[in-house]
Amino acid sequence: MGCGTGMHAVRVRDLGFTPVGVDLSAGMLRHGAHRPPAARADAARLPVRSASVPAVLSAMVHTDMPSYPAVVREAFRVLAPGGVFVHIGVHPCFCRGFADRGARRRS
């Protein structure tokens, strides 16, 4: 979900899965055209049957999706029984642009 250019596809394949990406950005999908197949779609409305995939990966995209709770619900909708949802993300407060450095001690 939110595959962008598909940069994680090789790792997903190495884990024994057949990666298929989904991203809303046509530009990102064009940049990843040399990687595994991908569809242009909203992550909150996946073009996938319910209970049909063994795993869903969402890596570093939660801050780019306005309704991430809806995306998580959609991930669980498409997961097969016993499937795995993997979320990898960093809270914005730990990103350089959002870090609060105002309380630093001066020596």
Side-chain angles (χ1 to χ4, degrees):
M1 300 173 82
C3 68
T5 62
M7 66 185 282
H8 300 295
V10 171
R11 286 187 185 99
V12 169
R13 187 179 304 127
D14 289 348
L15 291 169
F17 296 96
T18 302
V20 177
V22 176
D23 202 290
L24 190 57
S25 170
M28 293 296 278
L29 293 172
R30 272 193 305 278
H31 286 293
H34 63 285
R35 294 205 166 99
R40 184 170 182 229
D42 186 328
R45 291 186 303 278
L46 295 172
V48 178
R49 285 188 325 254
S50 295
S52 65
V53 298
V56 174
L57 169 64
S58 174
M60 305 304 285
V61 297
H62 66 286
T63 58
D64 297 326
M65 297 179 176
S67 181
Y68 197 65
V71 171
V72 171
R73 283 191 297 274
E74 187 68 351
F76 281 94
R77 179 189 70 79
V78 301
L79 280 174
V84 177
F85 173 60
V86 178
H87 162 91
I88 301 168
V90 176
H91 191 279
C93 75
F94 298 111
C95 298
R96 192 169 94 203
F98 296 97
D100 179 2
R101 290 170 172 62
R104 269 196 238 178
R105 272 192 220 184
R106 297 181 189 247
S107 19

